[in-house]
Amino acid sequence: MRKYPVRVDVFINSKAGRANRLALEEPIREALFRCNIRFHGPETALESQRQIRRVMEKGTDALLICGGDGTLNQCLQPLLEGRDRGLEPPPIGVISAGTANDLAAELGLSRKVDRAARSIIEADYRSVDVLEVAAGNEKKYIVTNGGAGLPADTARLANRLRAAVSYGGGLFGQLGAFGTSAVGNLARSLASLAFRKMGSHIYELFLLYYLVAWKRDQWRLEVKSGKRQFITESPFVMVNNQTSLGGTFTPAPATSNGDGTFNFFALETRAGIFELKALWDLRRGEMPAQSKFHSFETDSVTLRSLGERQITFFGDGEIIYEDVPEVTVRCHSPGVRIFTNSENGDNP
């Protein structure tokens, strides 16, 4: 008979897109009333990682992470570092409360807080592959999608805007766009409302902006994967550990996050109108009909910059490297254990 966890450590990112600590704690307590629950509310990524390390050293039966893909990514780093030291990461429950919740959508996890929390005691877990992204002597980990070029620029702008909305600093703080006046506070509130209402669709808006502003003559990549080796000027380069991202784009409809491989995708179209059409096809869940692209499954790929512009790489919605000459992505399987709902009938 399965031993249910008795100690659950709950991490709530109150700065995630839809997270509200007070609104989350009560249904979690009710759903897991038989468990020994410890709540954590880290204010920064570094604090989150320090707390995860302490939890792993003390021991726990399960983690419950409340936030989006970025929150999960912050927790993932110390979990995988701990495994390198012989500490097995505990299974993870996920409550979707971020701007983008791609992993939860891919796994069909419930959006209802109480049901997602109960998955820890009612449901089983499955192994999800982890992608290691190395640059120089550093290595970081992601579980959903990542990439370079336009997708990375889009993620960076979205994160800067979110920081400005949350903290009054960052991009708009530096430009004085919001400030501390009543008008500035109103602007910040409206921007925050836009984030909450648009959710992951905010990325589509930023992607269109960068598609127009992209400087093609500065970008050139060498791609190596096994016996494959080619040069691309594609502004849209992705590594996909699951089929879709942002809730709408589907660059890898046939890939899986549990088979030990990931998908590499690069859109080769150079004319803006055809790029726009190709992105629209991806948004509808179709492969680009009138565009050339590279798409293949692999367990490792290396990207090296040959142009004036270096590589900025994002993963799980977060910028993990900026302006590096080369990155290598490798698949680790088995990866981390994620609780899944025993039935998905209540997913909206």
Side-chain angles (χ1 to χ4, degrees), residues 211-229:
L211 184 60
V212 175
W214 183 257
K215 296 181 179 179
R216 301 173 184 276
D217 58 339
Q218 298 178 357
W219 181 252
R220 200 161 179 251
L221 292 178
E222 178 187 65
V223 180
K224 291 183 179 180
S225 178
K227 295 182 179 180
R228 288 187 178 90
Q229 181 174 346

Side-chain angles (χ1 to χ4, degrees), residues 114-136:
D114 58 343
R115 176 157 174 73
R118 286 202 309 272
S119 68
I120 287 181
I121 56 175
E122 294 180 351
D124 207 344
Y125 51 76
R126 55 162 291 191
S127 177
V128 173
D129 294 343
V130 170
L131 303 188
E132 173 196 298
V133 186

Side-chain angles (χ1 to χ4, degrees), residues 9-299:
D9 283 85
V10 182
F11 284 80
I12 299 177
N13 178 7
S14 59
K15 294 182 173 61
R18 297 187 295 110
N20 181 314
R21 180 166 181 171
L22 294 178
L24 288 170
E25 281 195 14
E26 183 177 354
I28 291 173
R29 290 186 188 277
E30 291 178 356
L32 302 177
F33 69 95
R34 294 186 183 277
C35 298
N36 176 12
I37 307 173
R38 296 182 294 193
F39 284 93
H40 308 265
E43 295 291 326
T44 66
L46 288 177
E47 186 180 351
S48 174
Q49 292 173 6
R50 283 196 296 266
Q51 291 181 9
I52 288 283
R53 292 187 184 99
R54 285 199 294 268
V55 166
M56 290 191 69
E57 291 169 358
K58 292 180 179 179
T60 189
D61 294 300
L63 296 179
L64 183 59
I65 298 175
C66 309
D69 298 313
T71 304
L72 182 60
N73 180 270
Q74 292 174 8
C75 297
L76 188 67
Q77 310 311 313
L79 289 176
L80 273 295
E81 292 167 4
R83 187 163 71 180
D84 290 342
R85 303 194 309 271
L87 298 174
E88 183 62 25
I92 300 168
V94 177
I95 292 180
S96 304
T99 303
N101 304 286
D102 289 337
L103 180 64
E106 185 80 5
L107 297 179
L109 305 184
S110 177
R111 296 181 185 179
K112 297 180 179 179
V113 175
D114 58 343
R115 176 157 174 73
R118 286 202 309 272
S119 68
I120 287 181
I121 56 175
E122 294 180 351
D124 207 344
Y125 51 76
R126 55 162 291 191
S127 177
V128 173
D129 294 343
V130 170
L131 303 188
E132 173 196 298
V133 186
N137 294 324
E138 286 191 79
K139 59 181 180 180
K140 299 181 181 179
Y141 303 94
I142 65 175
V143 290
T144 59
N145 307 77
L150 289 175
D153 284 353
T154 299
R156 177 165 49 190
L157 180 58
N159 290 340
R160 287 179 177 176
L161 179 57
R162 187 187 301 111
V165 169
S166 299
Y167 310 115
L171 177 66
F172 286 100
Q174 293 169 5
L175 296 177
F178 285 162
T180 58
S181 66
V183 174
N185 290 334
L186 176 61
R188 189 177 298 111
S189 297
L190 291 174
S192 178
L193 179 63
F195 254 103
R196 294 179 184 276
K197 291 295 184 182
M198 292 187 68
S200 60
H201 295 294
I202 197 79
Y203 294 106
E204 298 176 29
L205 180 64
F206 296 153
L207 181 60
L208 291 176
Y209 164 75
Y210 275 115
L211 184 60
V212 175
W214 183 257
K215 296 181 179 179
R216 301 173 184 276
D217 58 339
Q218 298 178 357
W219 181 252
R220 200 161 179 251
L221 292 178
E222 178 187 65
V223 180
K224 291 183 179 180
S225 178
K227 295 182 179 180
R228 288 187 178 90
Q229 181 174 346
F230 57 91
I231 293 173
T232 180
E233 297 179 358
S234 168
F236 195 90
V237 177
M238 297 286 302
V239 293
N240 304 295
N241 197 34
Q242 58 182 45
T243 59
S244 62
L245 75 157
T248 54
F249 285 90
T250 310
T255 202
S256 167
N257 58 13
D259 64 356
T261 65
F262 60 91
N263 170 267
F264 174 87
F265 179 89
L267 183 65
E268 291 291 353
T269 300
R270 291 183 58 83
I273 186 64
F274 290 109
E275 286 174 340
L276 187 60
K277 173 63 168 60
L279 293 176
W280 178 252
D281 288 341
L282 292 174
R283 188 186 186 281
R284 295 188 303 170
E286 302 174 1
M287 298 306 287
Q290 300 177 0
S291 302
K292 179 182 177 183
F293 58 88
H294 296 278
S295 181
F296 55 85
E297 299 292 311
T298 183
D299 60 5

Side-chain angles (χ1 to χ4, degrees), residues 329-343:
V329 184
R330 300 182 182 90
C331 185
H332 289 261
S333 184
V336 291
R337 295 171 292 169
I338 306 290
F339 286 105
T340 56
N341 303 119
S342 56
E343 57 181 309

